[in-house]
Amino acid sequence: MLPSYDPNNSEAGMKLLEDLTSNAYQIQQQVLEEILTRNSHTEYLKGFLNGHSDKTLFKEKVPVGNYEDVKPYIERIANGEPSHIISSHQITELLTSSGTSGGQPKMMPSTAEDLDRKTFFYNLLVPVMNKYVEGLDKGKGMYLLFIKPEITTPSGLSARPVLTSYYKSNNFRNRPFNRFNVYTSPDETILCSDSKQSMYCQLLCGLIQRDEVLRVGAVFASALLRALKFLEDFWKELCSNIRSGHVSDWITDPSCRNAVSEILKPNSDLADLMENECSGSSWEGIIKKLWPRTKFIEVIVTGSMAQYIPTLEFYSGGLPLVSTMYASSECYFGINFKPLSKPCDVSYTLLPNMAYFEFLPVERNHTDSEVVRCNGVHEEDRDDHLQVVDLVDVKLGQYYELVVTTFTGLYRYRVGDILMVTGFHNNAPQFRFIHRRNVVLSIDTDKTNEDDLLKAVTQAKVVLEPLGFLLTEYTSYADTRSIPGHYVLFWELKMKGHNNVVEAELDGNIMEECCSRVEEWLDSVYRRCRKKDKSIGPLEIRVVKQGSFDALMDFCVSQGSSVNQYKTPRCIRSEEVINILNSRVVGKFFSQKTPSWEPFTMEIHVV
Ligand code: AMP
């Protein structure tokens, strides 16, 4: 099913992308036919289709569902029942998603063939990048990539994050160009299970090869910023290793140590240069200073990662931020065909041979499609009344929730991502990632999702920026211990040009203005509750010490989140997590004004 071509041939890659997008309809039909023919005898599909593989019947009978519908089957496989209850192909591993169910990561089925599909997808990113940036073959990429520990299910299957699975596969080791050493991180440093040693060694290798580095990246923006923070903490030691040509003794992982030792030679010029750049009072533009040939930063900055853009711009000295792809544990979805476009303009074109894609139209304010209980716990309307549409039938400007039928045993599965159609590449639609469904704050009848919160916070931080503050991280929770309850936002701030925290410089009036600004930009239901119903109290901002969100991440990682896939939760609920941040608060501020609200202004803020 996967078309074959020479991945080293950019022209052939671009031609293939043109073919795929031109024939989106035909390919989608073939994909569905193949999935149904293969899997019509699985227990799951038999229950709806009685052994038939007819596409129309599939659409009539198989319900659109979410994780709870497939979870019992996945758990049965994890406990030793045969794969064919959901998939005719052997399920070779389970991929743990950053989405959770009942406090545990959701587990997505995967097959051997799926690794080839991912490789096919990754290979197609190369010609797109080459089309827009010349000469990438004249140097290296410093990509900071990490694995995380995995568990084995009772049936002996590995359960691990999708990227860990990929990096540990032969497909990754044998990826095109790897044999020409075009990446600064030796595979051994990526595959090191100690994340601190892995990070240290990858940075060391990246620094040693600084003159060759043409692009710098990680999967998500947050991972790259974490690496920069690590560099801030460890640059002196890295310098001393470079000066002496000996890697620190605490790097004990043998393959990691060997891989680094092979390229580490005493280099006092480089050590001097690093010392000079890193000991400066500001780290503004540090990426460009340390890796001067870098042409762009490759990290995902769409969706919840958008809030890192200013910090990345600060560190990168204005280099283009490139979000190349949109993917998940369930399935890899789409490619950004215009990688140099501004982050706010990024759209992804779904590749029609990755899965069978359907779309649930959603109301922009979601009030019709979701029934939300207080405090972020929600039940969802199954949207049975809404007609799902095919990939080629989506309408420009319309919002949809993505539904996938994969080659690996998910049928009409709601991914939970809300996308907006921004255009078409040939016959394939392009989507802007809007947000992940159902990240909400709720006190009364208000429902604030991640996107709404980001918008309001973005407006509020405008107040701070002229004063030299950067909002580097934020999250929120609905504090219902007092009556009425209120929204609490935790903000981590940084002073431009300094590496230090800013506790003393906080101006109460300005911070209160930020609180009011957030409220002003929240939706009309929130403002009605606040102003008219008085069912919500004044919004509070708690400023936390620098490093607090690192502590939050460390905690989440210790609970099973993956470092690569970690995204700061924009809404927290667990007492333990809230305590982590509460114990680091340096200032608390409340909105002093009630926001404006008029009964007939049910406006929708344009994203
Ligand atoms: P996971 O299953 O943990 O790999 O997370 C997959 C989810 O991450 C997707 O469903 C999206 O919500 C989010 N995601 C992945 N790629 C992107 C992207 N390029 N832009 C925004 N969000 C993304």
Side-chain angles (χ1 to χ4, degrees):
M1 182 76 196
L2 287 171
S4 64
Y5 76 104
D6 175 6
N8 299 304
N9 181 342
S10 273
E11 219 171 290
M14 286 313 291
K15 163 88 175 57
L16 183 52
L17 283 171
E18 289 303 295
D19 289 348
L20 287 171
T21 51
S22 300
N23 299 306
Y25 173 77
Q26 295 85 337
I27 294 171
Q28 280 284 277
Q29 292 305 308
Q30 285 163 16
V31 164
L32 182 57
E33 203 160 305
E34 183 167 348
I35 293 174
L36 293 179
T37 312
R38 270 192 204 178
N39 298 301
S40 59
H41 289 285
T42 57
E43 183 184 316
Y44 187 87
L45 280 185
K46 245 191 340 204
F48 302 108
L49 300 179
N50 209 9
H52 293 287
S53 56
D54 182 71
K55 294 194 292 252
T56 319
L57 207 61
F58 168 79
K59 294 204 145 205
E60 273 169 27
K61 302 280 186 200
V62 178
V64 172
N66 55 34
Y67 188 69
E68 302 315 313
D69 299 303
V70 69
K71 188 176 178 180
Y73 293 85
I74 291 178
E75 286 181 347
R76 282 166 61 192
I77 291 171
N79 287 318
E81 287 196 44
S83 305
H84 63 65
I85 60 175
I86 55 166
S87 162
S88 67
H89 281 203
Q90 183 73 28
I91 302 297
T92 47
E93 59 187 325
L94 295 172
L95 305 178
T96 51
S97 157
S98 60
T100 57
S101 160
Q104 298 300 317
K106 294 176 182 168
M107 291 191 288
M108 302 302 163
S110 188
T111 62
E113 179 204 54
D114 212 40
L115 282 172
D116 293 335
R117 192 163 282 107
K118 287 178 178 126
T119 302
F120 174 85
F121 183 99
Y122 280 122
N123 288 348
L124 284 176
L125 300 174
V126 179
V128 176
M129 215 57 242
N130 285 342
K131 179 175 166 189
Y132 287 93
V133 186
E134 278 185 6
L136 288 177
D137 54 339
K138 307 282 183 301
K140 299 194 178 195
M142 183 178 84
Y143 289 97
L144 304 168
L145 308 174
F146 305 93
I147 58 160
K148 73 156 289 204
E150 55 193 72
I151 58 159
T152 306
T153 70
S155 64
L157 287 180
S158 296
R160 52 193 179 182
V162 58
L163 295 171
T164 299
S165 148
Y166 194 69
Y167 299 153
K168 286 189 170 178
S169 71
N170 285 335
N171 293 50
F172 178 71
R173 193 170 280 276
N174 299 327
R175 65 201 185 278
F177 319 116
N178 199 24
R179 62 183 184 281
F180 303 123
N181 281 326
V182 301
Y183 304 103
T184 57
S185 293
D187 288 348
E188 294 79 359
T189 61
I190 295 171
L191 295 172
C192 172
S193 56
D194 179 324
S195 58
K196 189 171 165 190
Q197 293 192 44
S198 170
M199 176 76 89
Y200 187 90
C201 292
Q202 291 193 57
L203 282 170
L204 186 52
C205 293
L207 287 162
I208 296 165
Q209 301 168 77
R210 77 183 278 270
D211 289 331
E212 294 166 83
V213 171
L214 299 182
R215 49 206 162 123
V216 169
V219 180
F220 287 107
S222 49
L224 185 61
L225 289 177
R226 193 162 167 85
L228 290 168
K229 176 73 177 54
F230 189 96
L231 188 58
E232 275 186 47
D233 295 342
F234 283 88
W235 68 264
K236 286 189 181 139
E237 187 174 337
L238 288 160
C239 259
S240 125
N241 285 189
I242 290 170
R243 196 175 294 288
S244 66
H246 292 290
V247 63
S248 297
D249 290 343
W250 64 272
I251 303 299
T252 50
D253 181 288
S255 11
C256 218
R257 209 180 159 83
N258 282 345
V260 177
S261 303
E262 263 180 38
I263 58 169
L264 180 62
K265 307 277 173 294
N267 185 342
S268 53
D269 289 346
L270 176 56
D272 288 345
L273 183 141
M274 254 190 82
E275 224 157 62
N276 190 33
E277 299 296 1
C278 295
S279 59
S281 65
S282 167
W283 269 38
E284 188 162 5
I286 194 76
I287 297 182
K288 200 89 182 109
K289 288 176 188 164
L290 292 178
W291 294 280
R293 292 177 67 203
T294 307
K295 295 173 188 250
F296 60 87
I297 310 284
E298 188 177 329
V299 281
I300 291 173
V301 285
T302 46
S304 63
M305 293 294 141
Q307 58 118 7
Y308 296 108
I309 294 169
T311 316
L312 273 176
E313 282 172 344
F314 172 78
Y315 283 119
S316 71
L319 287 167
L321 302 176
V322 174
S323 300
T324 55
M325 60 184 269
Y326 166 44
S328 77
S329 311
E330 291 88 341
C331 169
Y332 280 25
F333 304 123
I335 289 182
N336 174 3
F337 280 175
K338 293 202 174 123
L340 296 184
S341 52
K342 281 193 280 175
C344 58
D345 295 331
V346 167
S347 289
Y348 300 100
T349 305
L350 301 200
L351 295 191
N353 62 341
M354 286 291 114
Y356 179 64
F357 298 113
E358 292 174 281
F359 298 85
L360 265 172
V362 290
E363 297 298 324
R364 182 59 200 99
N365 61 10
H366 307 298
T367 44
D368 292 344
S369 59
E370 292 170 10
V371 180
V372 182
R373 279 194 262 129
C374 284
N375 303 329
V377 182
H378 41 262
E379 289 163 352
E380 278 138 34
D381 179 342
R382 292 177 58 89
D383 291 313
D384 289 340
H385 58 291
L386 289 173
Q387 196 64 42
V388 287
V389 298
D390 278 346
L391 180 71
V392 293
D393 294 330
V394 295
K395 300 276 176 288
L396 194 67
Q398 172 68 252
Y399 289 79
Y400 296 95
E401 181 182 341
L402 179 60
V403 174
V404 288
T405 295
T406 67
F407 287 92
T408 55
L410 298 175
Y411 304 99
R412 309 193 95 187
Y413 177 88
R414 290 172 65 166
V415 174
D417 290 343
I418 309 295
L419 312 175
M420 188 191 84
V421 184
T422 54
F424 287 81
H425 185 89
N426 297 321
N427 295 315
Q430 303 182 296
F431 296 90
R432 177 170 306 155
F433 183 93
I434 302 297
H435 69 93
R436 202 169 168 107
R437 193 187 64 206
N438 294 340
V439 178
V440 293
L441 279 171
S442 180
I443 300 280
D444 188 18
T445 50
D446 56 304
K447 304 166 189 69
T448 299
N449 64 37
E450 186 174 331
D451 186 33
D452 297 329
L453 193 60
L454 172 64
K455 230 178 335 160
V457 167
T458 304
Q459 290 300 324
K461 69 180 187 185
V462 169
V463 178
L464 288 177
E465 276 164 0
L467 305 176
F469 288 100
L470 280 175
L471 174 65
T472 56
E473 271 290 11
Y474 73 93
T475 189
S476 65
Y477 87 101
D479 187 342
T480 48
R481 283 170 310 169
S482 54
I483 301 172
H486 69 291
Y487 284 13
V488 176
L489 306 186
F490 289 101
W491 279 19
E492 189 172 317
L493 299 172
K494 182 181 170 74
M495 189 80 177
K496 260 187 210 156
H498 294 279
N499 295 323
N500 297 329
V501 213
V502 285
E503 309 149 30
E505 295 95 326
L506 288 173
D507 177 327
N509 292 334
I510 298 282
M511 290 310 300
E512 285 163 6
E513 179 54 29
C514 289
C515 297
S516 304
R517 194 64 84 94
V518 174
E519 296 201 294
E520 219 37 80
W521 279 87
L522 288 171
D523 70 16
S524 68
V525 182
Y526 173 90
R527 286 180 281 119
R528 190 199 65 217
C529 292
R530 250 300 263 137
K531 187 179 166 97
K532 191 157 188 300
D533 306 345
K534 306 212 183 321
S535 55
I536 301 180
L539 182 138
E540 181 185 1
I541 293 178
R542 295 184 193 159
V543 178
V544 291
K545 290 199 275 224
Q546 223 175 342
S548 301
F549 279 80
D550 286 335
L552 173 65
M553 170 165 165
D554 290 343
F555 175 79
C556 294
V557 168
S558 77
Q559 300 294 299
S561 292
S562 142
V563 176
N564 289 306
Q565 290 164 258
Y566 176 81
K567 300 162 204 91
T568 303
R570 295 296 163 223
C571 179
I572 53 177
R573 293 179 56 238
S574 120
E575 203 62 29
E576 217 172 346
V577 172
I578 293 169
N579 286 342
I580 289 174
L581 295 181
N582 266 340
S583 64
R584 292 168 169 81
V585 169
V586 294
K588 293 183 177 188
F589 308 92
F590 288 88
S591 168
Q592 301 297 320
K593 296 185 254 183
T594 44
S596 55
W597 177 78
E598 295 298 330
F600 300 111
T601 55
M602 300 297 289
E603 75 274 22
I604 295 163
H605 294 136
V606 178
V607 195

